Every structure is written in structure tokens, then in C-alpha cells.
Amino acid sequence: MSLEENLKDELNPEQYRAVTTVDGPILIIAGAGSGKTRVITYRIAHMLEKGIPQSQILALTFTNKAAKEMSERIKGLTGKKLQNLTVSTFHAFGVRILRQDIEQLGFRSNFSIYDETDRSALIKETGRELKFTADALDVYKIGCLFSDIKTGRKNWESANDMYRSLYEGYQEGLKLYNAVDFDDLITLPIRLFREHPDVLARYKERYRYLMVDEFQDTSHQQYEMMRLLADRNVAVVGDDDQSIYSWRGADYQNIINFEKDFPGVTEIRLEQNYRSTGTILAAANGVIKHNTNRKDKELWSGNGSGRPIEIYMPENEAAEADFIAESIQGICAEEKRHYDEFGVLMRANTQSRPLEEAFLENNIPYTMSGGTSFFERKEIKDIISYLRVIANHDDDINLLRIINTPRRGIGRSTIESVNKVAGTLGVSLWEALKAIIAAPEDECPVSAGTRADLEAFTSLIEGNKSMLGGKGLSKKVQALVDDINYFDYLIGEYPKSEKAARFKYMNIESLIKSMEQWENNPEHEDTSLYAYLNRITLLSRDDLDDGEEDKGKVNLMTVHASKGLEFPVIFIAGAEEGLMPHARAVEEGGDTAVEEERRLFYVAVTRARDRLLISSCQHRRRMQATVECEPSRFLDEIPANLVKYHEPSKEVGSEDAHEMLQNMLKNLAHPRVPKL
């Protein structure tokens, strides 16, 4: 059966219409669990079948995981390699544009991409140069302000004007170090398109058909990038009821802007939900209809009504955690479920401690989203910093990280001398090093021994330039690690625990192994150092692990982190005023924030497939005091006929206890991966 014949069998009428409507601007309102990814992948496969060249299609989404899944599904449907099809995140597409044309903005094409750690280091360095006091340098807050200024979410005003010179110095630093930050990956392509119409014309000529996934999460800048690129054939897919990222610039009003900017929009609504029971959807509909500023829609399901929503009101967070842990074990025994079929959602990370303690106490394996990313570990960042400097000698932040790691006699006074030369000459630290090495002996600002150390360092970096091209990157990196005696350095750092040093070195071996697998993958044509550094910079935290170690574990996460996931059984912990909706959000944003908090609760509810259990504590410890809690207003918005108030669990008999034990052992022996 051909793809075209398959469409009517596989899709409901609204999905079919969304897939087969190709020309003109199209707005697809895709409710939670309505088969959005299926529609997007079938739509692109249908376009290819109709003869539209793959090189003319651009599909943009928000996470590497979503882009990869979409790409693989399209290849599966068409049976083709599709090497000229562009399915990408906004930021990765921005990198692609800048690698090609950033020289027109005065940068070199081998620019570095600074992550949050690098950005903070540059803010600190710039602040020190401008004599900012330590009290005035709240690096996290300043980083957020700079991001808001750069992306147009804030303007300079009297309250923040003291940081204007710091911002200008930060921007100059980026240019000097031939680096861009994450916001630049969107703002610089827009600037490029506006200042160089010929560049924009080239991209518009290539990409005749645009698709944007998770459209409600687009920021003003991302919307502007899409608007500049798109002519008429643009399809956007989103759900205003799932817009939960305003704090990072997302604006679901872009749906309204789209209708204004692209006259004659065809609107298609996907309301049939394939995930949840009728009761869970009725609860979600009952809550979200209290939002006024939304596209009216009513999710429905053919999955039957299912069990009522269960609400439990424990005495405090410790009792809540015990209830959740005991319920998980009970449901595992009664329904023969595996641990990875459970999602435990919380509004804030601060709620995790009692939950984690209860899981440990009850021997329930769990995984918590977030935590320290593999690529944020010091030993990994050290090696990656070497690679970044080899790729871009002018990357001062990473050069400063490694110039004396492992220690090679280049101390603080030497670095101050190098900084001084760089400031005097108006060059990067690398160029300053070269100038010091080349200086006549009587004019050299450092001792002969230090100059020899600096020369050895620059020779080490230049001696590894073979990494920039050719094959065998992983072998070259291993040789570098050996050359700098990094293991000996770790032993010196952990003199009382060789085990800790070995563990950290094993992380480096894991890095090199993953690099080897990446470069040996036939799908990766470009295995240069530049390509590798782009890849690891753009990977989001949840993409860094392959997830193998998380099979067979309960999933503990914030509601924000749960978006896009689903589990048979969901617990929502802490459904109380002050947490849901969050007090700070309501205080800062008023009614608008309450609507976003309600959307967040709606997202939490719609993650559940079969069972939904919600807990609301009567008391909760806040700071040093125990306060009385009021149930969340959102609980009152769930229709009363859908709710069952939960009784504390009864004691388990000996036969049931034996069966529970057997099921727990099976859980550990035969883990499964949750369906996403």
C-alpha cells in the first residue's frame, strides 16, 4: 500500500486535512495527545510523495530530541535517507546560517558558542575590568537581564542602566573572542537577514515550504526569524493551552500575530486525544476553560471514561511523600505495573527532597530530570575547553580555563601580564601570548622560564590542529589527554581518594568513547572538530544521556520538564495555593500569570494516560516555619463528579505482601522504557 493510500486508514478526518493541505498559510491547533508528531511527519512525507524536493522543506522545532524523532519517523515512512531535508531546532538552524555568513557581520566562521557557564565567566571578567564591586555582580541576574535586553524583552531604564556599560563590554568581549551566546543564534541571523537582503533572498529561494512545531513556545525573535523566511507556504502547529514558557520569552500571542501577518490562514483543530481516559480529559477541559484568552477547544477521547481523579490531603510533605511511595508500590502490585510507568510531577525543584527520601526509604529506584549534566562536569569541561581553544584560539574564556590546567607554572601574575598586553594591543589573549613569546628579551613582561612555559602551551595547542580536519578525532583527543598527563593531575587533585580520580578519568574515557561512536556513524558526514563542538553545545540536558541507565525507574520531574512526555500513572505533588499557582509568579504577573499557571496544571493533568493522583498538603514547611496550606484553586475547577477523595492505604496482608515483593523483584529484573 502506498503512503497516499495509507493516509486515510491511519489518520482521522482533521489529521488527514492537516496532512494534505500543503499550500498557503496553515494554523494547526493540536490539543494535548492529539497525534501532533504523527501529523507533522505524515505531512512532510506527503509533500515529498507529491514531488516537492526535500531541499525546499524546512521544519523547525525546539529540542534536539524532537528534531531527531521527527527526522527518523519521516525516513521510516518514506524509506529514503533524506540527506537534503532540513529538520532542525531554531538554534541549530541559526548556527547553520551563521557558519555560512557570519563573516558579513565581522566575525570569523570558526566562532565559539558560549553556554551559560562561559557567559557568566565573561560577565565576571568584564565586571572586574570595569571595577564593578562583588556585591553589584549578581552574575545570574545580570545574565538574565542581558538576555532580555538582547532579545527585546526589556529596554534600558533607570533601574538597570548601571549595567549598560557592562553589557557593552560583554558584547565587545564576545566579538574580541570570536564567540556568540545562545541568544545570538537567533538575533544575529535576523540582523544578517535585515542588513544583507541578498542573504535572506538566498534562503527564501531555497526553503519554499516551512513548518514550525510547538508554535506556542516561539519567542518574538524566533517568530521574526520565521516571518522573514516564510512566503506563503508556511504551516505552524501548536496549542495555546500548553504555552508555559513565558519566563524564557515564549509568547502564545504569536498565534494571533500569525493570523495577522499571513492573511487567508486555514485553521485546522485536532481535538481527538489518543493518550488519556475520558475522565482525565474532562478534568483537563474543566480546568482550562477558566482561561479567557484562548482558542476554544474541547479534547475528547475514544479510550473510555476510566478511573476517577484521586485526590489525597496528607498532613505534610513527609506524609505526602510516604503516600506517593506507598501508592506506587501498591499500584505496581495490584496492576502489575513497572516503575518506569510512573511520573511524579512537582511545581518546583524544592519539593524533591522528601520525595527522594521516601523513594530511598522504600527502595524505589527513581530518576530525576535536571541535575549536573555530563558536559557540565569539571573534568569534561576541561577537555572540551582544550578542544574549543584548538578550534578557536581567540576563545579567551576557555583559554583561561586550561592555560594552567593541569598546572604548568602559569600563575595569576602571569595571566595578569597577558591580560595587560591584550588590553594594550586590543587583541585576544592568544595574540597577547604570541606577542609576549616574540618580544625581545629586554621588553618581555615575564621571566624567561615563564616565557618557555607559555611557548610550550601555545605549541601544544598548535600541535593539535590536525583535529580540525581528517578522520580519527577520538584517537587524537585521547592522545591529547595523555600528552597533558590529565590522570596525574586528577591524582594530585584528589590525594586522599584515588577512587575519585579514577571515576573522573572514567568520565573522560566515556566522552572519548561517545566521540568515537559519533564519528563512526555513517549518517554524520562532517566529523570535524567544529561539527562535534556544535553538536555538544546545542544538545539540551535531556539529550545528553541516552537514557539507558534510567530504564525501570520512577520518573521524578518538574511539570515544565514533563512537557511532551506521557506516563500511564501520574502523581501531581503539592497542589496548593502558593505552589500551584506559584506565589511568586502570581505576585509578579497578576491575572496573566494565573492563566499561565493554569496552563501548567493543565499540562500536568494531560501527561496521564490511565490514572491521575493529586496530593495537596494541609501543612508544609517553608523556610524555618510550618505554615497552613490551602488547596489549589485549580482543584475546585475539576468537575466534582470526576473526583474521588483518597483514603490512607490499608495494611497489606501477608499474601499480598508476598505478591508485592515478587512484583518489585520483577520490576528490577525486567525494566521497560516509558512510551513518549
Side-chain angles (χ1 to χ4, degrees):
M1 191 186 289
S2 73
L3 175 73
E4 296 300 310
E5 292 169 323
N6 210 19
L7 289 180
K8 285 197 171 174
D9 290 338
E10 291 288 327
L11 306 171
N12 68 39
E14 290 77 19
Q15 289 176 330
Y16 181 80
R17 187 171 165 230
V19 164
T20 55
T21 307
V22 171
D23 298 319
I26 302 153
L27 171 60
I28 301 168
I29 303 291
S34 62
K36 169 176 69 75
T37 306
R38 169 185 281 202
V39 165
I40 293 169
T41 51
Y42 267 101
R43 189 172 188 274
I44 293 172
H46 168 76
M47 290 162 73
L48 294 168
E49 184 105 337
K50 286 287 183 190
I52 293 170
Q54 53 182 282
S55 60
Q56 290 185 6
I57 299 171
L58 170 62
L60 295 171
T61 187
F62 279 82
T63 66
N64 295 290
K65 188 176 182 180
K68 186 180 177 186
E69 182 189 356
M70 211 181 288
S71 189
E72 285 174 352
R73 282 209 203 179
I74 297 163
K75 287 174 187 173
L77 283 173
T78 60
K80 295 174 183 171
K81 287 186 177 177
L82 302 179
Q83 286 165 325
N84 294 319
L85 176 70
T86 307
V87 180
S88 171
T89 65
F90 273 94
H91 288 90
F93 186 63
V95 172
R96 182 184 292 215
I97 293 167
L98 295 178
R99 287 281 174 225
Q100 190 78 30
D101 292 291
I102 199 171
E103 288 172 353
Q104 305 208 42
L105 298 177
F107 291 79
R108 294 185 298 289
S109 62
N110 65 332
F111 59 86
S112 297
I113 304 168
Y114 276 11
D115 62 14
E116 202 169 310
T117 308
D118 298 328
R119 179 179 77 174
S120 297
L122 180 55
I123 290 170
K124 268 187 195 169
E125 182 197 312
T126 310
R128 280 195 297 268
E129 286 172 2
L130 294 173
K131 305 289 190 287
F132 272 75
T133 64
D135 289 344
L137 270 181
D138 184 331
V139 174
Y140 176 75
K141 267 191 175 174
I142 292 169
C144 292
L145 171 66
F146 286 6
S147 180
D148 287 343
I149 294 286
K150 189 172 283 197
T151 56
R153 296 198 294 272
K154 280 186 181 171
N155 296 310
W156 292 114
E157 52 195 39
S158 56
N160 60 34
D161 202 56
M162 64 180 285
Y163 295 112
R164 193 193 283 251
S165 62
L166 183 60
Y167 177 77
E168 287 165 359
Y170 168 76
Q171 288 292 92
E172 286 166 10
L174 286 174
K175 196 78 176 281
L176 175 65
Y177 304 154
N178 196 38
V180 299
D181 62 24
F182 251 60
D183 292 318
D184 288 327
L185 300 182
I186 307 296
T187 58
L188 288 181
I190 291 171
R191 188 180 139 203
L192 191 62
F193 289 161
R194 286 179 178 155
E195 293 178 7
H196 299 275
D198 56 316
V199 174
L200 176 60
R202 195 168 76 239
Y203 281 94
K204 285 171 80 85
E205 175 65 28
R206 172 166 181 185
Y207 296 113
R208 304 289 186 86
Y209 295 86
L210 262 68
M211 279 199 78
V212 181
D213 185 19
E214 302 286 9
F215 188 62
Q216 77 282 345
D217 292 337
T218 51
S219 66
H220 291 294
Q221 300 285 332
Q222 288 161 332
Y223 178 83
E224 182 62 9
M225 181 197 263
M226 179 220 69
R227 193 188 65 77
L228 286 166
L229 281 167
D231 276 327
R232 292 284 298 160
N233 298 327
V234 54
V236 299
V237 187
D239 179 9
D240 51 346
D241 288 339
Q242 295 187 73
S243 179
I244 59 173
Y245 292 114
S246 67
W247 47 277
R248 68 181 191 200
D251 187 356
Y252 68 93
Q253 294 287 349
N254 282 340
I255 291 175
I256 313 265
N257 297 334
F258 182 76
E259 292 174 309
K260 285 181 192 162
D261 290 336
F262 295 90
V265 168
T266 301
E267 184 179 306
I268 301 167
R269 297 189 186 196
L270 308 180
E271 295 173 299
Q272 183 176 354
N273 175 286
Y274 291 90
R275 175 187 300 156
S276 307
T277 65
T279 297
I280 290 168
L281 293 183
N285 289 332
V287 170
I288 202 64
K289 73 179 183 186
H290 287 79
N291 273 5
T292 53
N293 199 0
R294 63 183 287 263
K295 292 265 185 189
D296 192 37
K297 70 185 83 66
E298 189 91 1
L299 293 181
W300 61 277
S301 168
N303 296 342
S305 58
R307 303 174 67 127
I309 312 298
E310 299 166 67
I311 297 179
Y312 185 73
M313 302 234 170
E315 170 58 28
N316 54 32
E317 63 266 39
E320 175 184 56
D322 288 341
F323 156 70
I324 291 172
E326 289 164 13
S327 296
I328 288 171
Q329 289 181 321
I331 294 168
C332 277
E334 291 163 23
E335 301 181 17
K336 311 289 189 287
R337 290 198 180 275
H338 297 264
Y339 284 133
D340 55 28
E341 294 181 81
F342 295 85
V344 180
L345 311 185
M346 54 196 173
R347 174 63 181 86
N349 274 313
T350 51
Q351 294 170 250
S352 76
R353 188 188 55 78
L355 292 164
E356 291 187 73
E357 285 177 357
F359 291 161
L360 291 168
E361 182 74 24
N362 289 276
N363 294 317
I364 296 173
Y366 71 93
T367 175
M368 183 170 164
S369 64
T372 304
S373 137
F374 179 76
F375 285 88
E376 290 298 311
R377 293 171 185 170
K378 182 187 181 301
E379 62 276 15
I380 300 301
K381 275 196 83 94
D382 284 347
I383 302 308
I384 296 297
S385 290
Y386 271 97
L387 303 187
R388 291 195 189 285
V389 174
I390 290 163
N392 172 14
H393 297 346
D394 297 321
D395 183 344
D396 280 17
I397 298 296
N398 283 294
L399 186 142
L400 285 171
R401 184 181 187 95
I402 61 168
I403 195 167
N404 203 38
T405 303
R407 290 179 180 78
R408 48 175 66 89
I410 302 171
R412 182 170 292 185
S413 61
T414 304
I415 291 168
E416 283 173 5
S417 298
V418 176
N419 262 320
K420 198 170 177 184
V421 171
T424 303
L425 298 178
V427 295
S428 68
L429 294 182
W430 177 266
E431 292 301 326
L433 289 177
K434 300 296 281 184
I436 289 169
I437 292 164
E441 200 167 320
D442 58 336
E443 293 176 25
C444 185
V446 298
S447 69
T450 300
R451 172 150 61 176
D453 292 333
L454 295 177
E455 192 164 5
F457 173 71
T458 57
S459 297
L460 172 74
I461 299 301
E462 288 174 329
N464 278 281
K465 64 184 176 187
S466 67
M467 286 187 191
L468 301 179
K471 303 287 182 187
L473 179 62
S474 57
K475 286 189 174 65
K476 292 169 186 173
V477 174
Q478 181 64 65
L480 170 69
V481 172
D482 295 341
D483 198 13
I484 61 176
N485 296 317
Y486 196 84
F487 182 66
D488 291 347
Y489 163 71
L490 287 173
I491 294 287
E493 290 290 289
Y494 298 93
K496 293 182 181 175
S497 175
E498 189 175 322
K499 189 176 177 184
R502 289 194 179 282
F503 177 77
K504 289 182 174 295
Y505 192 74
M506 280 167 64
N507 285 334
I508 293 171
E509 290 176 328
S510 295
L511 172 75
I512 293 169
K513 183 71 179 167
S514 71
M515 198 181 285
E516 185 185 356
Q517 290 168 343
W518 170 78
E519 65 185 345
N520 289 335
N521 185 331
E523 286 191 15
H524 300 141
E525 290 179 37
D526 183 358
T527 54
S528 68
L529 180 57
Y530 296 131
Y532 180 75
L533 291 174
N534 281 349
R535 171 182 174 268
I536 61 170
T537 302
L538 291 167
L539 282 175
S540 58
R541 287 190 172 190
D542 58 320
D543 294 317
L544 296 176
D545 279 326
D546 61 9
E548 286 300 309
E549 63 188 36
D550 294 337
K551 291 179 185 176
K553 298 179 183 179
V554 170
N555 301 272
L556 175 61
M557 63 186 71
T558 62
V559 183
H560 281 101
S562 74
K563 188 157 178 289
L565 304 178
E566 60 180 74
F567 300 97
V569 184
I570 285 285
F571 289 84
I572 302 175
E576 303 140 28
E577 287 294 305
L579 271 178
M580 289 183 185
H582 200 281
R584 191 175 68 244
V586 174
E587 190 182 316
E588 292 173 1
D591 290 344
T592 306
V594 171
E595 294 220 340
E596 174 144 339
E597 291 288 306
R598 186 176 283 111
R599 291 194 293 271
L600 194 58
F601 187 74
Y602 172 84
V603 165
V605 169
T606 54
R607 299 310 95 198
R609 283 177 17 208
D610 305 326
R611 285 185 73 170
L612 175 62
L613 300 93
I614 306 174
S615 52
S616 175
C617 290
Q618 298 171 49
H619 298 90
R620 187 176 290 274
R621 193 161 180 79
R622 294 216 176 108
M623 308 295 282
Q624 300 304 313
T626 297
V627 298
E628 195 166 331
C629 301
E630 188 183 332
S632 169
R633 67 191 77 179
F634 303 146
L635 296 182
D636 289 337
E637 295 171 359
I638 299 174
N641 64 306
L642 305 175
V643 172
K644 173 190 172 189
Y645 280 84
H646 209 288
E647 296 297 322
S649 54
K650 300 183 178 91
E651 282 192 25
V652 179
S654 58
E655 282 186 26
D656 289 338
H658 178 73
E659 188 179 354
M660 282 175 73
L661 178 63
Q662 294 307 312
N663 277 307
M664 284 166 63
L665 293 171
K666 278 183 199 168
N667 255 316
L668 295 169
H670 303 291
R672 287 179 7 205
V673 185
K675 292 177 183 173
L676 303 182

